[in-house]
Amino acid sequence: MKQYDVIISGGAMAGATLALALDQKTSGALSIAVVEAYKTDHAQHPGFDARAIALSHGTVETLKQFELWEDIQGVATAIEHIHVSDRGHAGMTEIACDDLAVGALGYVVELADVGRIYDQRIQANDNIDLLCPDSIVDLRRFEDRVEVKLNSQKVLSAKLIVAADGAFSPCCDAINLPQEQTDFEQVAVIANVVCQEAHQGRAFERFTATGPVALLPMSDDRMSLVWCLPPDEADEVLKLADSEFLQRLQSSFGWRLGAINAAGERSSYPLILRYRPQIVSHRFAVVGNAAQALHPIAGQGFNLGIRDVASLVEELAQQVADLGQYRGLSSYQARRREDRTATIELTSSLVRLFSNDWWPTRLGRNAGLFCADVLPPLKQPLLNRTLGLVER
């Protein structure tokens, strides 16, 4: 049996960030094991695949605090302007970094790029052992420790285990940590596209009767598409020939970037809110998608998960002598309650408000977008969430 201070189940964005941030915050005082089922290869790894994600301004500041941003910045594309509109209607609002005196509203990164960077950082760190490919098959907790058995038959012991193993967390299931679900009855269609006009750091969120269409700026003037559709329509769109797919997307998104000329490989996943009200237990904590998996509207999910990671790191750094003390873990849960609740309510409300074409709702949301555009104070709560400038 090999002993560690912390075992992290899951080595994708949340788990790897946690390992590196915890090592930095404690000046290398802890021994950390990261158990990950997949090699860092975008063709296989579900957490470091070909998708792109948006890092908010607040997330970037957090990564800077943990000395992680410098490496990531080289593969990041700045978001300098966000355009929000309602298809077929007048309501719209815009957010520009110049108006807010920030260098960028956020950045877009490809998960595969960050996966390679994190893998290099972890491999070079003597305080972190990456056990990969491997997975936890048995988890037992005792008064002063937790023990896990791996698929490789290795046995590990630690003072604390952290579940960062995704929305279907096997570790959370192993201790019967309850999870609530809300099916939004939508599917996200994912692809990278190339448009006639250069994106110039612009991001777009366009609401339609069937769900939002988001385009995020990427390197080489590509755009990352997240197109939310009802399941039957998503199935149809995934089967279209490239020319038909582009035509359908053009009709939904419009012409703000000129013609949409090309699209890469398409993939999809169902949009279901998965939420665990309880994110701590005896010598056990939960972060990232294992704690909550959100609808992608407004790009809140990963940024919320990074705030989980940062809060947990700060709490653990205060109790290095015994990381599993329930006092510290309960403080972590209390710190995260308000932010988690507010962000989940915001994204769920936006889905309900902007994913239907009922005329009173349509009238109300267009009035809201118009007022937000001409009355800046009304826009501030959305700006704070967009920028990730929230209490944690």
Side-chain angles (χ1 to χ4, degrees), residues 362-379:
R362 186 174 68 236
L363 181 64
R365 72 194 185 208
N366 273 270
L369 286 173
F370 175 78
C371 290
D373 201 49
V374 298
L375 299 172
L378 295 180
K379 194 190 294 187

Side-chain angles (χ1 to χ4, degrees), residues 316-377:
L316 296 181
Q318 298 179 41
Q319 55 175 63
V320 172
D322 186 358
L323 296 178
Q325 294 181 59
Y326 193 75
R327 174 174 51 83
L329 295 182
S330 60
S331 178
Y332 160 65
Q333 175 160 277
R335 283 182 63 175
R336 298 303 302 134
R337 184 174 294 115
E338 183 175 347
D339 182 20
R340 295 176 72 219
T341 300
T343 305
I344 289 169
E345 288 179 352
L346 171 68
T347 55
S348 298
S349 297
L350 287 174
V351 174
R352 289 191 292 269
L353 180 62
F354 285 101
S355 292
N356 70 79
D357 211 31
W358 190 44
W359 75 263
T361 305
R362 186 174 68 236
L363 181 64
R365 72 194 185 208
N366 273 270
L369 286 173
F370 175 78
C371 290
D373 201 49
V374 298
L375 299 172

Side-chain angles (χ1 to χ4, degrees), residues 197-219:
E197 296 183 13
H199 57 62
Q200 299 178 321
R202 292 175 291 174
F204 297 84
E205 182 111 44
R206 187 157 173 78
F207 299 110
T208 76
T210 55
V213 181
L215 285 175
L216 302 175
M218 298 172 65
S219 60

Side-chain angles (χ1 to χ4, degrees), residues 239-248 260-264 266:
K239 296 173 183 176
L240 291 174
D242 286 352
S243 60
E244 295 173 318
F245 175 78
L246 294 173
Q247 185 177 12
R248 180 81 68 91
I260 303 173
N261 292 326
R266 295 166 237 164

Side-chain angles (χ1 to χ4, degrees), residues 57 98 100 106 128 149 212 220-221 279 287-288 308 344 355 358 371:
H57 174 78
D98 291 343
L100 302 174
I128 305 174
K149 183 178 181 180
D220 301 319
D221 265 326
I279 54 172
V287 297
D308 292 342
I344 289 169
S355 292
W358 190 44
C371 290

Side-chain angles (χ1 to χ4, degrees), residues 36-274:
E36 171 54 47
Y38 295 90
K39 291 280 190 181
T40 305
D41 179 344
H42 76 272
Q44 297 180 12
H45 201 307
F48 287 134
D49 56 19
R51 288 173 298 164
I53 58 170
L55 310 180
S56 71
H57 174 78
T59 292
V60 170
E61 293 303 306
T62 298
L63 294 174
K64 287 179 181 178
Q65 292 175 19
F66 296 133
E67 299 178 5
L68 296 173
W69 176 243
E70 185 176 354
D71 289 345
I72 296 172
Q73 186 174 9
V75 297
T77 301
I79 301 174
E80 300 176 3
H81 183 277
I82 299 174
H83 184 282
V84 182
S85 62
D86 194 5
R87 179 178 179 269
H89 307 289
M92 59 166 285
T93 190
E94 297 182 89
I95 306 168
C97 61
D98 291 343
D99 298 335
L100 302 174
V102 295
L105 300 171
Y107 291 83
V108 179
V109 295
E110 294 181 70
L111 290 171
D113 288 337
V114 180
R116 285 189 288 271
I117 291 168
Y118 275 177
D119 186 60
Q120 292 169 2
R121 290 283 297 263
I122 288 174
Q123 296 288 358
N125 192 310
D126 293 336
N127 303 314
I128 305 174
D129 286 347
L130 177 61
L131 306 173
C132 175
D134 217 334
S135 57
I136 294 172
V137 295
D138 187 45
L139 188 161
R140 299 183 183 185
R141 294 180 293 169
F142 302 89
E143 182 180 350
D144 61 344
R145 70 193 188 282
V146 59
E147 293 180 3
V148 299
K149 183 178 181 180
L150 306 185
N151 189 57
S152 62
Q153 301 304 306
K154 294 177 182 177
V155 179
L156 313 179
S157 173
K159 298 174 184 177
L160 172 71
I161 184 167
V162 181
D165 47 355
F168 301 99
S169 170
C171 283
C172 291
D173 290 344
I175 67 165
N176 297 314
L177 208 61
Q179 183 184 64
E180 299 175 1
Q181 296 189 16
T182 300
D183 191 343
F184 292 114
E185 298 180 352
Q186 291 181 346
V187 171
V189 175
I190 310 298
N192 294 335
V193 303
V194 178
C195 300
Q196 181 181 9
E197 296 183 13
H199 57 62
Q200 299 178 321
R202 292 175 291 174
F204 297 84
E205 182 111 44
R206 187 157 173 78
F207 299 110
T208 76
T210 55
V213 181
L215 285 175
L216 302 175
M218 298 172 65
S219 60
D220 301 319
D221 265 326
R222 296 171 299 155
M223 302 290 286
S224 174
L225 168 69
V226 181
W227 190 3
C228 302
L229 295 163
D232 55 347
E233 191 170 341
D235 288 342
E236 179 185 349
V237 162
L238 288 166
K239 296 173 183 176
L240 291 174
D242 286 352
S243 60
E244 295 173 318
F245 175 78
L246 294 173
Q247 185 177 12
R248 180 81 68 91
L249 176 59
Q250 191 87 65
S251 175
S252 186
F253 175 73
W255 294 84
R256 283 188 169 86
L257 287 170
I260 303 173
N261 292 326
E265 182 179 352
R266 295 166 237 164
S267 60
S268 66
Y269 60 92
L271 297 177
I272 300 172
L273 168 65
R274 295 183 170 90

